Amino acid sequence: MARLIQAIQAFGSKLERQKTAQLEAVAEWMSMRTGLNKSEVMMVLQEQSEAILFFNKQGIPVKFPGVGTFSPSISRDGEYRVNFRTDVALKKGINQTDAYTGNIINPGRIGLDDLGYKDLWDADHPEDPLEI
């Protein structure tokens, strides 16, 4: 029997993601907004990860206002990690209902309940009914 997660993955709403913005494109966009030249912006962006490593290795969290905070931690097994906590304003800006301007696949299925997914799954997979 199929599980609900399979139906949600197959029939649920999804954001249609575009190609990842690479460093050069981001630097060019930022240079247009700031007046800095593109190579200066690229250099600063590339140094961010080095700054995070430098400070986190010393036990010092790094906060980038408007982006978030990178903090070092250690697991029970002694494995070191970097945790990221998103800036509240960034989270709010992204999570606003009307903030997303890209395409949504199956937008009419937002809020669909379990029985709705069962109906869609069972119609498409009669040999493997969904168990709720």
Side-chain angles (χ1 to χ4, degrees), residues 5-60:
I5 191 69
Q6 291 173 279
I8 293 170
Q9 288 172 343
F11 299 106
S13 301
K14 299 175 190 80
L15 299 183
E16 184 181 306
R17 292 195 185 159
Q18 304 299 314
K19 209 169 93 178
T20 301
Q22 298 296 321
L23 176 65
E24 193 163 317
V26 173
E28 189 171 320
W29 183 85
M30 289 175 74
S31 73
M32 290 187 305
R33 293 178 51 97
T34 64
L36 297 171
N37 69 47
K38 184 173 140 185
S39 62
E40 292 170 325
V41 174
M42 286 180 68
M43 184 174 53
V44 169
L45 291 173
Q46 289 171 326
E47 285 299 312
Q48 276 187 325
S49 65
E50 293 299 322
I52 294 165
L53 283 172
F54 176 81
F55 288 102
N56 276 204
K57 283 180 177 181
Q58 298 175 59
I60 304 168

